[in-house]
């Protein structure tokens, strides 16, 4: 159509006007029958159409677009001819609604003049109305499209909100479920914690029960050990009582024998100036004392150490009495012999004066006879009781060696390790005793005493006890006694002052463990037989090396040690023995007597003076012995000791020079 572009320009102008910018009512379809009547009636223009034809179209015809100038004539002729415009209900409705919704202030006199619809007579008007309706239709379609899009957008929003709500509901459910899980987890943790605490408390109760059971077992074990210890002590007490009883019988026998010798001295009554009744009376009192002790012990059980000590003192006093009596008899004999010799000398001098000087020379030889006679009076062998005592100690030492023979000969590595640990624990503390030990002596003594008592001690960083092996105690006692004697042989021989600290520890151990003392004596007698005193005799068929070993010499590769070294070792051992018999452990029981006191030293001194002296040995031993314990013997025996010293000076030394 040639005017189609112009119609669109009109519509564009209408849309750009104030009225065109107004919003149409979208509920025009609700008006009902009026809308249907308008659809079925002939096409009509609204009251605004005239105004549009009168005002808008002339202006557009005056200024046609360049593209439409060629068709303007045809458009004008077309407008003058009538044409049929098909009616459209939608377009009519849209137009009527558009015509009814106009802004205020835009209506003029034409609006009031054309209140009734006019029948369009020209085709141009119909086309304009058609364009308007097409515009309304397009606008309606755009509105429907916008409504559809808005509905879709609202549906999408609703769906998005629904999905969001669903997601939020899911999150809420998840948070609720998580909260339930957390509560359940917390509850489970609380239950597990309470369960662990209950288990811990149960374990603690079990540990306490085990600890109490262990303590009870230890107490039961200690009670059992105490009972066994008491049984062992009772057995040892009985054995010691039996030994003391046998010793008392031997002492009684010896006292009776000495009493017989004392009674036999009546035949020398004419030699003595004094009366012998005092000696005999005291001897009878001593015999009665020992008999009373034996009767009392037979009624009460076994004799005690005090009873044995009293009996030994009685025996020693009996020996002293008999020794003093014999000394008196000897002195009386000497006086009578000197008197007889003086008388004989005077007679010989008278006869020599008569016979001449030759007879005087011949008479000088018999004057040396008394010296030889006195030497013949000395003993060559020790007393039988002393030899029996010596042999008992050696037998006890051999039995001890046999007792732990299984431990020493064992091939088991565990037994060898135990043996080495026990030997170190027994010997190392003794090696640590020296003159500068000072307060460490008590520590050393306690360590040795604990080892012998069966308690564990530390040695070489390990715990050692004699209970690790049934033969451990015998082995430790033997090695300990051997080490004490070896210290006297080596340490005391080189440093004389070391005899006292070693002796005080040995004396304390001897007092608490008598068997160790017996083993010390056995080792001492074996290495130094002169400490018995005992001079081994050479037997026919004996090898020279064996005899030299019996004398105490060290023989290596058929070479005998030098005499100086031999005398040095003997001196060290006799000094240790002299220190032991006079010292006691200061922390021990002072009420008990010394296990091997000064009475044994007095016996040794008396016996060695009654025996034939040996060159070098006797003089060395006497000097060392008296230098160490001479002061103690002097305080104990007083006048009797000075008598012995006088005897050594006036009688023994001259005899020693002739040997």
């Amino acid at each position: 159509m040639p005017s189609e572009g112009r119609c669109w320009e009109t519509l564009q102008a209408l849309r750009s006007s104030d009225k065109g910018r107004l919003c149409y009512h979208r509920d025009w379809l609700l008006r009902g029958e009026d809308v249907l009547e308008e659809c079925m009636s002939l096409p009509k223009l609204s009251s605004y159409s005239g105004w549009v034809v009168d005002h808008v179209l002339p202006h557009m015809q005056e200024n046609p677009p360049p593209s439409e100038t060629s068709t303007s004539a045809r458009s004008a002729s077309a407008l003058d001819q009538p044409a049929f415009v098909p009616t459209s209900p939608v377009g009519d409705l849209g137009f009527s609604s558009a015509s009814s919704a106009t802004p205020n202030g835009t209506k003029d006199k034409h609006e009031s003049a054309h209140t009734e619809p006019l029948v369009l007579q020209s085709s141009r008007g119909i086309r304009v109305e058609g364009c308007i309706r097409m515009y309304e239709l397009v606008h309606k379609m755009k509105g429907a499209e916008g409504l559809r899009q808005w509905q879709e957008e609202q549906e999408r929003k609703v769906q998005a909100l629904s999905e969001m709500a669903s997601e939020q509901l899911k999150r809420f459910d998840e948070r609720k479920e998580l909260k339930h899980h957390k509560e359940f987890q917390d509850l489970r943790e609380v239950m597990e914690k309470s369960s662990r605490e209950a288990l811990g408390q149960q374990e603690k109760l079990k540990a306490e029960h085990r600890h109490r059971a262990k303590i009870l077992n230890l107490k039961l074990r200690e009670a059992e050990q105490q009972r066994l210890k008491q049984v062992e002590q009772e057995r040892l007490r009985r054995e010691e009582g039996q030994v003391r009883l046998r010793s008392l019988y031997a002492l009684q026998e010896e006292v009776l024998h000495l009493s017989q010798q004392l009674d036999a001295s009546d035949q020398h009554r004419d030699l003595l100036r004094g009366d012998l009744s005092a000696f005999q009376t005291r001897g009878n009192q001593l015999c009665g004392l020992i008999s009373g002790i034996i009767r009392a012990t037979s009624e009460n059980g076994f004799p005690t150490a005090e009873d044995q000590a009293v009996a030994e003192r009685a025996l020693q006093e009996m020996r002293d009495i008999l020794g003093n009596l014999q000394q008196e008899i000897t002195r009386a004999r000497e006086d009578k012999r000197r008197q007889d010799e003086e008388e004989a000398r005077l007679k010989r001098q008278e006869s020599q004066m008569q016979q001449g000087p030759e007879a005087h020379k011949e008479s000088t030889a018999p004057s040396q006879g008394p010296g030889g006679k006195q030497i013949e009076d000395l003993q060559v062998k020790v007393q039988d009781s002393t030899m029996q005592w010596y042999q008992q100690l050696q037998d006890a030492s051999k039995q001890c060696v046999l007792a732990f023979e299984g431990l020493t000969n064992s091939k088991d590595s565990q037994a060898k390790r135990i043996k080495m640990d026990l030997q170190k624990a027994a010997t190392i503390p003794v090696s640590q005793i020296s003159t500068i030990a000072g307060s460490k002596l008590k520590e050393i003594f306690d360590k040795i005493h604990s080892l012998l008592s069966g308690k564990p001690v530390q040695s070489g960083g390990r715990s050692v006890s004699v209970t690790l092996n049934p033969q451990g105690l015998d082995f430790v006692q033997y090695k300990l006694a051997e080490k004490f004697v070896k210290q006297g042989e080596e340490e005391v021989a080189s440093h004389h002052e070391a005899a006292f600290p070693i002796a005080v520890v040995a004396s304390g151990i001897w007092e608490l463990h008598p068997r160790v003392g017996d083993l010390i004596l056995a080792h001492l007698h074996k290495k130094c037989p002169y400490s018995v005193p005992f001079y081994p005799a050479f037997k026919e068929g004996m090898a020279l090396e064996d005899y030299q070993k019996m004398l105490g010499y060290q023989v290596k590769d058929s070479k005998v040690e030098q005499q100086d070294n031999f005398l040095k070792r003997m001196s060290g051992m006799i000094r240790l023995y002299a220190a032991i018999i006079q010292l006691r452990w200061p922390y021990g029981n002072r009420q008990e007597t010394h296990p091997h006191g000064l009475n044994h030293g007095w016996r040794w001194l008396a016996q060695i003076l009654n025996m034939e002296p040996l060159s070098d040995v006797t003089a060395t031993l006497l000097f060392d012995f008296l230098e160490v314990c001479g002061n103690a013997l002097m305080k104990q025996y007083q006048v009797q000791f000075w008598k012995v010293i006088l005897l050594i000076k006036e009688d023994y030394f001259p005899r020693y020079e002739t040997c």
Side-chain angles (χ1 to χ4, degrees):
M1 295 173 55
S3 61
E4 184 177 1
R6 194 176 293 119
C7 292
W8 287 111
E9 291 176 358
T10 301
L11 293 176
Q12 184 69 27
L14 288 174
R15 187 167 60 180
S16 300
S17 65
D18 293 336
K19 191 179 289 185
R21 287 193 297 270
L22 294 176
C23 296
Y24 292 94
H25 294 284
R26 298 185 182 277
D27 55 350
W28 60 273
L29 293 175
L30 301 177
R31 288 183 294 179
E33 296 178 356
D34 296 336
V35 176
L36 296 176
E37 289 177 357
E38 291 177 359
C39 292
M40 296 189 320
S41 64
L42 295 174
K44 295 180 180 181
L45 293 176
S46 66
S47 59
Y48 297 101
S49 302
W51 183 85
V52 172
V53 173
D54 293 336
H55 292 80
V56 177
L57 292 179
H59 293 290
M60 293 181 68
Q61 290 177 358
E62 291 176 2
N63 297 316
S67 59
E68 296 180 355
T69 53
S70 59
T71 61
S72 61
R74 293 184 302 218
S75 299
S77 61
L79 288 173
D80 293 335
Q81 298 177 1
F84 177 79
V85 179
T87 61
S88 174
V90 179
D92 190 16
L93 289 173
F95 184 79
S96 64
S97 64
S99 63
S100 64
T102 58
N104 295 329
T106 59
K107 297 181 180 181
D108 53 8
K109 60 182 181 178
H110 297 287
E111 183 178 359
S112 61
H114 302 282
T115 58
E116 295 295 331
L118 298 179
V119 178
L120 187 61
Q121 299 296 327
S122 62
S123 60
R124 181 179 178 184
I126 294 172
R127 286 196 300 271
V128 171
E129 185 69 21
C131 290
I132 291 172
R133 294 197 178 204
M134 288 181 66
Y135 178 79
E136 289 179 353
L137 179 62
V138 171
H139 186 72
K140 180 180 178 182
M141 293 175 65
K142 288 183 178 181
E145 181 67 22
L147 178 62
R148 185 182 60 78
Q149 292 179 357
W150 180 81
Q151 289 178 349
E152 291 178 357
E153 184 178 357
Q154 293 302 319
E155 289 177 357
R156 286 195 300 272
K157 289 182 179 180
V158 170
Q159 186 177 1
L161 290 175
S162 177
E163 291 177 356
M164 184 183 299
S166 177
E167 292 295 329
Q168 289 180 355
L169 181 61
K170 288 181 181 180
R171 300 292 86 78
F172 177 76
D173 293 339
E174 290 176 356
R175 284 194 295 272
K176 187 175 180 180
E177 185 178 0
L178 179 61
K179 184 178 179 181
H180 290 166
H181 282 307
K182 286 184 178 180
E183 291 177 354
F184 178 74
Q185 185 69 22
D186 294 339
L187 180 61
R188 186 169 63 181
E189 289 179 357
V190 170
M191 294 178 63
E192 290 179 355
K193 184 177 180 181
S194 61
S195 178
R196 286 194 300 269
E197 291 178 355
L199 290 176
Q201 188 70 19
Q202 187 178 5
E203 291 296 330
K204 185 177 180 181
L205 292 175
K206 287 182 180 179
E208 291 179 357
H209 176 71
R210 287 194 297 268
H211 181 65
R212 291 176 181 175
K214 186 177 180 180
I215 292 176
L216 290 176
N217 291 332
L218 289 175
K219 289 182 178 179
L220 291 175
R221 192 180 298 111
E222 289 178 358
E224 182 65 18
Q225 291 178 355
Q226 187 68 22
R227 187 187 66 80
L228 295 176
K229 185 178 180 180
Q230 291 178 356
V231 172
E232 183 67 18
Q233 289 178 352
E234 182 66 19
R235 184 183 65 81
L236 292 176
R237 189 184 67 81
R238 290 180 176 276
E239 291 180 357
E240 291 176 357
Q242 292 177 357
V243 172
R244 292 194 188 101
L245 186 60
R246 289 195 295 269
S247 178
L248 281 179
Y249 289 148
L251 292 175
Q252 185 182 23
E253 183 180 0
E254 187 173 356
V255 168
L256 293 176
H257 179 67
L258 294 177
S259 178
Q260 291 178 357
Q261 293 181 3
L262 189 62
D263 294 337
S265 62
D266 287 340
Q267 58 184 353
H268 304 290
R269 186 182 298 273
D270 54 346
L271 295 176
L272 301 176
R273 298 177 182 178
D275 191 5
L276 298 178
S277 59
F279 293 98
Q280 294 177 351
T281 301
R282 183 56 182 165
N284 293 331
Q285 290 177 354
L286 294 175
C287 291
L289 177 63
I290 295 180
S291 299
I293 292 174
I294 293 177
R295 284 195 299 271
T297 54
S298 62
E299 295 175 358
N300 300 330
F302 295 103
T304 62
E306 185 177 357
D307 296 335
Q308 186 177 4
V310 172
E312 288 179 353
R313 285 197 295 270
L315 175 61
Q316 186 61 39
E317 187 176 355
M318 192 70 175
R319 289 173 179 171
D320 295 340
I321 292 173
L322 186 59
N324 294 334
L325 182 59
Q326 290 178 352
Q327 290 178 5
E328 293 292 336
I329 294 174
T330 302
R331 189 175 295 107
R333 285 179 178 178
E334 289 294 329
D335 293 341
K336 185 177 180 181
R337 181 181 57 79
R338 290 192 186 95
Q339 186 178 0
D340 293 341
E341 289 179 354
E342 185 66 22
E343 292 177 358
R345 187 178 62 80
L346 292 175
K347 290 180 180 180
R348 285 196 298 273
Q349 286 179 356
E350 292 176 358
S351 62
Q352 286 175 0
M353 291 177 63
Q354 295 176 0
Q355 295 178 3
E358 294 180 358
H360 178 72
K361 295 180 181 180
E362 294 176 358
S363 63
T364 57
S367 64
Q368 300 176 359
K373 183 180 179 181
Q374 291 174 358
I375 292 175
E376 291 177 357
D377 292 339
L378 295 177
Q379 300 176 4
V380 178
K381 295 182 179 181
V382 73
Q383 296 180 2
D384 293 339
S385 60
T386 304
M387 285 303 300
Q388 291 177 0
W389 174 59
Y390 165 77
Q391 194 61 42
Q392 288 176 358
L393 292 175
Q394 296 302 317
D395 293 341
S397 177
K398 292 178 181 178
Q399 290 177 1
C400 184
V401 173
L402 293 175
F404 63 83
E405 186 177 9
L407 179 61
T408 55
N409 296 333
S410 177
K411 302 299 182 181
D412 184 22
S413 59
Q414 182 72 12
K416 290 182 179 179
R417 186 180 62 81
I418 293 175
K419 182 187 73 173
M420 292 301 298
D421 291 343
L422 291 176
Q423 185 171 352
K424 290 179 181 179
T427 58
I428 290 177
V430 181
S431 301
Q432 295 173 349
I433 302 174
S434 64
T435 55
I436 59 175
S439 61
K440 291 184 178 180
L441 284 179
K442 191 174 187 306
E443 181 181 349
I444 294 172
F445 176 84
D446 292 339
K447 190 172 184 179
I448 297 174
H449 175 56
S450 299
L451 180 64
L452 293 173
S453 301
K455 299 178 181 178
V457 297
Q458 294 295 325
S459 177
R462 289 187 293 188
S463 180
V464 183
S465 175
V466 295
T467 58
L468 296 175
N469 191 284
Q471 303 173 1
L473 181 60
D474 297 324
F475 179 76
V476 169
Q477 290 175 344
Y478 186 86
K479 290 298 179 180
L480 183 63
E482 184 182 37
K483 185 61 179 179
F484 272 119
V485 177
K486 192 172 182 180
Q487 283 294 99
E489 183 182 10
E490 296 177 355
E491 183 67 21
V492 180
S494 301
H495 306 89
H496 292 171
E497 65 276 8
F500 295 99
I502 297 174
V504 74
V505 176
S507 177
I509 296 298
W510 194 333
E511 184 174 347
L512 296 176
H513 305 276
R515 190 183 183 191
V516 177
D518 294 341
L519 292 174
I520 289 175
L521 285 177
H523 283 288
L524 183 66
H525 293 169
K526 186 175 181 180
K527 289 192 173 184
C528 180
Y530 315 103
S531 60
V532 178
F534 168 55
Y535 298 156
F538 183 80
K539 298 180 181 180
E540 186 177 356
M542 180 183 296
L544 181 59
E545 293 182 1
D546 295 338
Y547 178 65
Q548 289 170 340
K549 291 179 181 179
M550 288 180 61
L551 293 175
Y553 288 91
Q554 290 182 350
V555 181
K556 294 181 180 179
D557 299 332
S558 301
K559 293 182 180 180
V560 184
E561 65 177 331
Q562 297 294 327
Q563 185 70 10
D564 294 342
N565 190 37
F566 167 74
L567 293 176
K568 183 179 179 180
R569 290 191 302 104
M570 298 299 111
S571 172
M573 286 185 281
I574 206 65
R575 281 179 178 272
L576 178 62
Y577 179 69
I580 289 176
I581 63 176
Q582 64 172 317
L583 294 178
R584 294 195 64 183
W585 181 244
Y587 304 100
N589 188 1
R590 285 292 182 178
Q591 296 180 356
E592 296 184 1
T593 59
H594 195 292
H596 196 78
L598 284 172
N599 56 330
H600 291 275
W602 183 262
R603 176 193 60 80
W604 180 86
L605 183 60
Q607 289 188 359
I608 199 150
L609 292 178
N610 288 330
M611 294 178 65
E612 185 76 23
L614 293 179
S615 177
D616 295 339
V617 177
T618 306
T620 302
L621 297 182
L622 277 175
F623 173 77
D624 292 325
F625 184 82
L626 293 175
E627 186 179 26
V628 174
C629 69
N631 184 56
L633 290 174
M634 183 269 294
K635 291 181 179 179
Q636 178 74 19
Y637 296 99
Q638 298 180 357
V639 178
Q640 300 298 329
F641 175 76
W642 291 115
K643 289 181 180 180
V644 171
I645 295 299
L646 187 62
L647 175 65
I648 293 173
K649 177 178 179 294
E650 295 182 352
D651 190 25
Y652 197 75
F653 280 171
R655 295 177 182 179
Y656 183 78
E657 292 175 356
T658 60
C659 66

